[in-house]
Amino acid sequence: MPRLILVRHGQSQWNLENRFTGWWDVDLTEKGEAEAKAAGALLAAKGLLPTVAFTSLQTRAIRTLHLALEAAGRVWIPETKDWHLNERHYGGLTGLDKAQTAAKHGEDQVRIWRRSFDIPPPPQEAGSEFDLAADVRYAGIAIPNTESLKDTIARVLPYYESAIVPQLQAGETVIIAAHGNSLRALVKHLSGISDDEITGLEIPTGQPIVYELDQGMAATDRYYLSEC
């Protein structure tokens, strides 16, 4: 039966600093690197070895994938990077300290921006400090200026169906190293979680989540690899 492994990137520098990150490119901390290596070591220890890999265009996810595959002895497997697996775009909140933002706008408003299903944060202004228009990795891509979780799902799921499902149907063991919200989109789809419930789902960093799938790509089981 096909297996899908989801890994949220290890702790990033802005996770540590409690800042909104979104599409901005931030590297892993030493703790994040250790989390990624531990994820790969766990895959090897459990004998769950991926044969195909997918990740976003963001350094923290790419390096998590590479460190995990190195620890698992699988650096040679085919790998695809795609912006559809990027984190949710936090718009005008990008780069802001979460506590300071709550003090300025109120905790209730920030909670809506962070956790509502379909209400995005304020849009990012063109030419602002964290504008990615000049980033060559996104050349030719219509970069969003903000996204809700609903918006993120709308780009993640079609990519999953078109690029990742065929690999699973071919019998590959697929690993996806991505982000809290892009993985939340997949978990919502695969586990049939409601719009209201998915906003409260926390996906821990560096902890492989395994989906056992049937031939119709329906999930028959979901578990954290560390708990099996």
Side-chain angles (χ1 to χ4, degrees), residues 76-155:
W76 48 269
I77 67 173
E79 172 187 328
T80 301
K81 304 180 184 74
D82 196 281
W83 69 271
H84 289 90
L85 296 174
N86 275 18
E87 177 59 292
R88 170 190 173 190
H89 197 301
Y90 273 101
L93 301 182
T94 303
L96 298 181
D97 176 276
K98 293 176 183 177
Q100 292 175 350
T101 305
K104 179 179 179 180
H105 296 283
E107 291 187 3
D108 289 345
Q109 180 61 67
V110 173
R111 188 177 299 111
I112 290 170
W113 286 334
R114 292 187 66 191
R115 292 303 188 197
S116 68
F117 180 70
D118 56 3
I119 301 175
Q124 186 177 68
E125 294 183 9
S128 63
E129 181 181 1
F130 301 111
D131 186 356
L132 292 166
D135 192 318
V136 295
R137 85 189 81 181
Y138 301 120
I141 293 171
I143 302 171
N145 58 18
T146 187
E147 287 181 309
S148 64
L149 177 57
K150 182 179 180 180
D151 296 328
T152 308
I153 292 170
R155 63 169 159 86

Side-chain angles (χ1 to χ4, degrees), residues 8-226:
R8 182 183 175 189
H9 65 78
Q11 183 192 66
S12 74
Q13 187 59 39
W14 280 15
N15 289 149
L16 179 63
E17 295 174 13
N18 202 33
R19 299 169 72 181
F20 291 100
T21 313
W23 277 41
W24 194 248
D25 206 29
V26 178
D27 207 347
L28 299 174
T29 61
E30 288 187 10
K31 178 182 178 181
E33 292 175 348
E35 288 175 332
K37 293 173 184 176
L42 182 61
L43 292 173
K46 297 290 187 178
L48 183 57
L49 299 175
T51 58
V52 174
F54 290 85
T55 188
S56 71
L57 294 185
Q58 300 184 269
T59 298
R60 57 194 185 273
I62 295 168
R63 292 198 62 230
T64 294
L65 176 64
H66 291 174
L67 290 167
L69 291 179
E70 183 176 5
R74 307 293 279 188
V75 294
W76 48 269
I77 67 173
E79 172 187 328
T80 301
K81 304 180 184 74
D82 196 281
W83 69 271
H84 289 90
L85 296 174
N86 275 18
E87 177 59 292
R88 170 190 173 190
H89 197 301
Y90 273 101
L93 301 182
T94 303
L96 298 181
D97 176 276
K98 293 176 183 177
Q100 292 175 350
T101 305
K104 179 179 179 180
H105 296 283
E107 291 187 3
D108 289 345
Q109 180 61 67
V110 173
R111 188 177 299 111
I112 290 170
W113 286 334
R114 292 187 66 191
R115 292 303 188 197
S116 68
F117 180 70
D118 56 3
I119 301 175
Q124 186 177 68
E125 294 183 9
S128 63
E129 181 181 1
F130 301 111
D131 186 356
L132 292 166
D135 192 318
V136 295
R137 85 189 81 181
Y138 301 120
I141 293 171
I143 302 171
N145 58 18
T146 187
E147 287 181 309
S148 64
L149 177 57
K150 182 179 180 180
D151 296 328
T152 308
I153 292 170
R155 63 169 159 86
V156 171
L157 287 190
Y159 180 75
Y160 169 75
E161 295 288 352
S162 65
I164 299 172
V165 165
Q167 297 289 343
L168 292 165
Q169 289 174 329
E172 304 288 356
T173 298
V174 176
I175 184 170
I176 304 174
H179 308 265
N181 284 293
S182 51
L183 294 181
R184 197 175 272 126
L186 292 175
V187 171
K188 182 183 191 307
H189 171 69
L190 290 165
S191 294
I193 299 174
S194 71
D195 295 354
D196 290 337
E197 291 178 332
I198 194 61
T199 58
L201 177 71
E202 292 293 340
I203 298 178
T205 55
Q207 289 290 328
I209 300 171
V210 180
Y211 273 96
E212 306 279 355
L213 306 169
D214 64 21
Q215 292 300 328
M217 295 298 105
T220 59
D221 198 9
R222 179 186 85 185
Y223 53 89
Y224 285 101
L225 190 56
S226 61

